């Protein structure tokens, strides 16, 4: 099984996991600064980027199992969006390996329900349908959704596209399986059992993980910390990189 990982810097190990459709290059705006404090493990999730030869497993717990043999003995883990689900699963399944958990623009359950805010099911259904016709265009549309609301949205989409094409593009099957993971994974109960220190980072303008999802998670997991980036949508590490690094390093060095 081949998992692509780039290591950068010195210090305690920090594993970082990207979101749906992208790859490890998405951390380019913050990796140099973070690597001054930690040894970064920039991972391409199975099926994505240069890990394209390894099929993406069908559950986040199984994805966690795919990654664990390739990771250090003990580490901090940070996951963005879908990567946040995987990071949470790793922490819940292997608490002896994980020192702290950070999720970025992520939710323990991504879909909107009567009692839970999130992505509207019809948007997910449309993305799945579009994937069958033109998966490259669908990925680009999803990138636009992630930047929507940011003051420099056009520039962000351009930057995301550039990183996307720095590695092989995920197959339609991988992308479809990733959407199914986003749709079906429910870690709300799991989140309540997390014992390690946890920080949840959000963007105030995020249309995919809205602020009321952050507030609902506050109630669900009052033992965790959270922070909202005022100028960001779904990718605060691109919109407010200095503040992002400050939040991450501040939390990790105090735990």
């Amino acid at each position: 099984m081949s998992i692509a990982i780039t290591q950068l810097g010195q210090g305690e190990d920090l594993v970082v996991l990207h979101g749906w459709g992208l790859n490890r290059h998405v951390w380019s705006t913050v990796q140099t600064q973070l690597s001054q404090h930690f040894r970064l493990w920039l991972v391409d999730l199975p099926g994505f980027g240069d890990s394209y030869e390894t099929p993406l497993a069908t559950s986040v717990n199984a994805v966690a199992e795919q990654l664990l043999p390739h990771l250090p003995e003990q580490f901090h883990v940070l996951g963005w969006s879908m990567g946040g689900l995987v990071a949470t699963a790793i922490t819940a399944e292997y608490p002896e390996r994980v020192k702290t958990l950070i999720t970025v623009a992520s939710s323990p359950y991504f879909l909107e329900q009567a009692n839970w805010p999130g992505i509207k099911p019809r948007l997910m259904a449309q993305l799945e349908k579009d994937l069958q016709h033109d998966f490259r265009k669908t990925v680009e549309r999803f990138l636009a959704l992630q930047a929507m609301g940011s003051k420099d949205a056009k520039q962000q989409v351009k930057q995301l596209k550039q990183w996307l094409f720095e590695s092989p593009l995920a197959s339609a099957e991988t992308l479809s399986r990733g959407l199914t993971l986003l749709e079906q994974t429910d870690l709300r109960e799991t989140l309540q059992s997390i014992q390690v220190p946890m920080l949840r980072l959000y963007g105030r303008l995020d249309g995919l993980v809205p602020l009321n999802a952050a507030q609902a998670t506050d109630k669900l997991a009052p033992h965790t910390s959270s922070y909202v980036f005022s100028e960001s949508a779904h990718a605060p590490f691109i919109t407010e990189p200095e503040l992002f690094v400050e939040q991450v390093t501040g939390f990790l060095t105090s735990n």
Side-chain angles (χ1 to χ4, degrees):
M1 189 184 292
S2 174
I3 299 293
I5 298 175
T6 299
Q7 287 184 32
L8 284 178
Q10 300 291 324
E12 291 196 20
D13 293 303
L14 171 58
V15 173
V16 290
L17 308 174
H18 61 81
W20 183 87
L22 280 144
N23 55 52
R24 68 194 189 280
H25 299 297
V26 79
W27 305 107
S28 297
T29 50
V30 293
Q31 64 188 34
T32 301
Q33 286 170 285
L34 285 174
S35 68
Q36 290 166 7
H37 304 272
F38 311 100
R39 180 160 63 157
L40 288 186
W41 295 62
L42 303 158
V43 178
D44 274 345
L45 292 173
F48 295 93
D50 293 308
S51 299
Y52 67 93
E53 290 182 345
T54 301
L56 179 68
T58 53
S59 73
V60 287
N61 286 351
V63 177
E65 283 179 33
Q66 287 180 299
L67 295 179
L68 253 289
H70 306 274
L71 301 181
E73 201 52 45
Q74 279 205 312
F75 53 90
H76 305 280
V77 63
L78 181 156
W80 170 51
S81 197
M82 186 180 86
L85 290 176
V86 178
T88 302
I90 289 173
T91 305
E93 291 293 307
Y94 307 95
E96 72 286 353
R97 301 277 299 269
V98 178
K99 295 177 181 177
T100 61
L101 167 64
I102 300 176
T103 60
V104 184
S106 195
S107 176
Y109 186 61
F110 272 86
L111 273 199
E112 181 184 75
Q113 279 186 337
N115 62 344
W116 187 263
I119 301 172
K120 296 194 180 302
R122 69 172 183 271
L123 174 60
M124 280 299 227
Q126 189 61 50
L127 281 169
E128 285 175 359
K129 187 179 172 187
D130 291 348
L131 263 183
Q132 309 309 315
H133 301 295
D134 188 339
F135 79 97
R136 183 177 285 242
K137 198 170 182 180
T138 306
V139 173
E140 290 184 2
R141 181 174 170 231
F142 193 72
L143 298 185
L145 282 173
Q146 295 182 43
M148 196 167 60
S150 299
K151 59 184 177 184
D152 58 348
K154 279 186 181 175
Q155 183 57 37
Q156 268 193 57
V157 173
K158 188 179 174 186
Q159 185 65 82
L160 284 165
K161 277 188 195 174
Q162 184 184 325
W163 291 325
L164 176 64
F165 298 125
E166 277 186 33
S167 289
L169 192 61
S171 68
E173 184 185 351
T174 294
L175 293 168
S176 179
R177 195 172 282 187
L179 282 182
T180 302
L181 281 183
L182 283 173
E183 213 170 353
Q184 296 182 354
T185 304
D186 186 350
L187 298 180
R188 287 176 289 185
E189 207 171 293
T190 302
L191 192 62
Q192 297 176 68
S193 69
I194 297 286
Q195 298 294 313
V196 305
M198 177 178 180
L199 172 65
R200 297 175 288 110
L201 300 175
Y202 300 96
R204 182 178 63 86
L205 307 168
D206 194 344
L208 297 172
V209 181
L211 265 193
N212 47 359
Q215 290 153 358
T217 310
D218 285 339
K219 292 176 187 169
L220 198 65
H223 58 293
T224 66
S225 308
S226 65
Y227 180 84
V228 178
F229 292 89
S230 61
E231 302 298 316
S232 296
H234 198 60
F237 49 91
I238 299 173
T239 324
E240 302 175 73
E242 291 83 6
L243 187 53
F244 180 85
V245 170
E246 188 182 306
Q247 286 297 319
V248 169
T249 53
F251 176 73
L252 294 184
T253 52
S254 64
N255 285 287

